[in-house]
Amino acid sequence: MLLAPGKAGAQRAQVAQARATTRSIGRTFALACRVLPRAVRDDVYLLYLVFRTLDDLVDQGDPSAPDALAAVERWCEGGAVTSPESAILDGLVARHQLPRAALEDFCQGMRDDLAGGRLRTEADLDVYCYRVAGTVGVVMTALLGRRDPRADHHAAALGVAMQRTNILRDLDEDRAAGRCYVPQHTLDRFGGDLRPGRREPLLRDQIGRADAWYEEGLAGIPMLRSGRTAVRSAAVMYREILRQIERDGYGATAGRAIVPGPRKLLVAGRSVWGSATDGPPARRSLSSG
């Protein structure tokens, strides 16, 4: 499709902004994006920019956040383009069959954050993680293509795993900001104390749950048509945060668990090398875990 000179220039500027945002904020994701096929790389950057912008507006308490979400929700329902984010999505939908229902679910997750309600059970947490991160995996799968329709299920599971990892990594930052994403029932079960040095049993439990979601998510990577190496790399680099929490003594001291860059590359390289001998995707039931 040929673009008018002005429109082409605007699109190039948009892609440049998306790349810069990804590289400055989503460093692990940006590393994985380097091995994406050229045909979809810029579109993945653009999609990340949409999700990142909406998430930042909500996280920072920006008063424009509800309007930005409403604009995307209207677009999902077939309405006009009325925001930069809906404009990007409108451009992407011309090249990919974006699942609008998943985008609406993402917006609902952002509204959950705005409402600030307390999560009570692990099931509540799984729903929340699906909305704010599992949906990202589902929409990303639309860009990469599917060999098997079950790829969406596994992509959602990988998103849940990554969001659960975020929650464990950011425990102290969230506590300082007056937020807590650990379900109340889980907190009660482990004594309700998230202070450094007193949370190892809870972290062991939550790391185990996150690892199970990673296994479910990784099982779907062979079902993708393209971008398998990039997705696997992103997943194993992110999962390494859990291993870093363990190496740091399960929250024995305050602060975020940080995986050194060289170690990220090492675990990604090992995973990609090991996957070179992977066979065809296993036939699994969606209910299997």
Side-chain angles (χ1 to χ4, degrees):
M1 180 176 63
L2 294 176
L3 298 173
K7 190 171 183 179
Q11 188 177 69
R12 284 195 296 270
Q14 205 172 54
V15 169
Q17 179 191 0
R19 285 177 179 168
T21 298
T22 304
R23 290 169 182 168
S24 65
I25 300 175
R27 295 191 181 105
T28 298
F29 184 67
L31 282 172
C33 282
R34 294 180 184 179
V35 293
L36 279 170
R38 287 180 179 271
V40 296
R41 192 181 303 157
D42 286 349
D43 284 350
V44 169
Y45 283 134
L46 289 168
L47 185 62
Y48 181 83
L49 179 62
V50 171
F51 287 127
R52 184 78 258 174
T53 299
L54 294 174
D55 186 66
D56 284 348
L57 289 174
V58 170
D59 194 46
Q60 296 163 10
D62 192 300
S64 68
D67 288 342
L69 292 171
V72 170
E73 289 165 338
R74 284 194 298 270
W75 178 86
C76 289
E77 294 167 1
V81 170
T82 58
S83 70
E85 294 73 43
S86 61
I88 290 174
L89 294 173
D90 207 55
L92 290 173
V93 83
R95 300 184 290 279
H96 310 278
Q97 292 184 336
L98 298 185
R100 298 188 187 220
L103 288 163
E104 287 185 292
D105 285 342
F106 175 82
C107 290
Q108 181 56 56
M110 294 295 98
R111 292 192 180 280
D112 292 343
D113 271 337
L114 286 174
R118 189 76 176 84
L119 298 168
R120 293 188 55 77
T121 68
E122 291 291 338
D124 292 339
L125 176 57
D126 287 337
V127 169
Y128 170 76
C129 289
Y130 165 74
R131 286 175 176 170
V132 302
T135 53
V136 177
V138 173
V139 181
M140 193 73 69
T141 298
L143 270 64
L144 300 177
R146 309 168 183 83
R147 291 176 169 176
D148 188 309
R150 293 173 298 171
D152 285 356
H153 166 82
H154 294 284
L158 191 54
V160 170
M162 290 179 165
Q163 184 61 26
R164 277 181 166 269
T165 302
N166 280 342
I167 289 168
L168 299 182
R169 180 196 63 190
D170 298 339
L171 276 179
D172 291 317
E173 291 179 22
D174 287 337
R175 284 178 62 240
R179 296 189 297 259
C180 182
Y181 294 97
V182 178
Q184 187 62 54
H185 286 184
T186 301
L187 271 177
D188 293 344
R189 188 157 58 94
F190 289 99
D193 196 341
L194 285 176
R195 287 178 295 174
R198 304 190 181 192
R199 53 198 181 190
E200 180 175 343
L202 182 146
L203 284 173
R204 286 183 179 274
D205 173 83
Q206 293 297 294
I207 286 172
R209 292 173 185 271
D211 274 328
W213 282 106
Y214 275 111
E215 290 301 312
E216 183 73 12
L218 288 165
I221 290 176
M223 300 176 187
L224 298 173
R225 289 194 178 277
S226 66
R228 293 183 294 278
T229 297
V231 174
R232 184 181 296 276
S233 297
V236 299
M237 285 190 288
Y238 226 80
R239 190 178 191 175
E240 190 64 15
I241 295 171
L242 300 179
R243 308 287 78 84
Q244 190 65 44
I245 293 172
E246 293 169 345
R247 286 191 290 270
D248 290 344
Y250 294 92
T253 58
R256 169 186 285 213
I258 298 175
V259 181
R263 182 160 190 87
K264 285 184 184 180
L265 295 176
L266 177 64
V267 297
R270 284 175 175 170
S271 174
V272 170
W273 179 262
S275 70
T277 57
D278 285 352
R283 293 292 174 184
R284 305 178 64 200
S285 165
L286 280 180
S287 62
S288 65

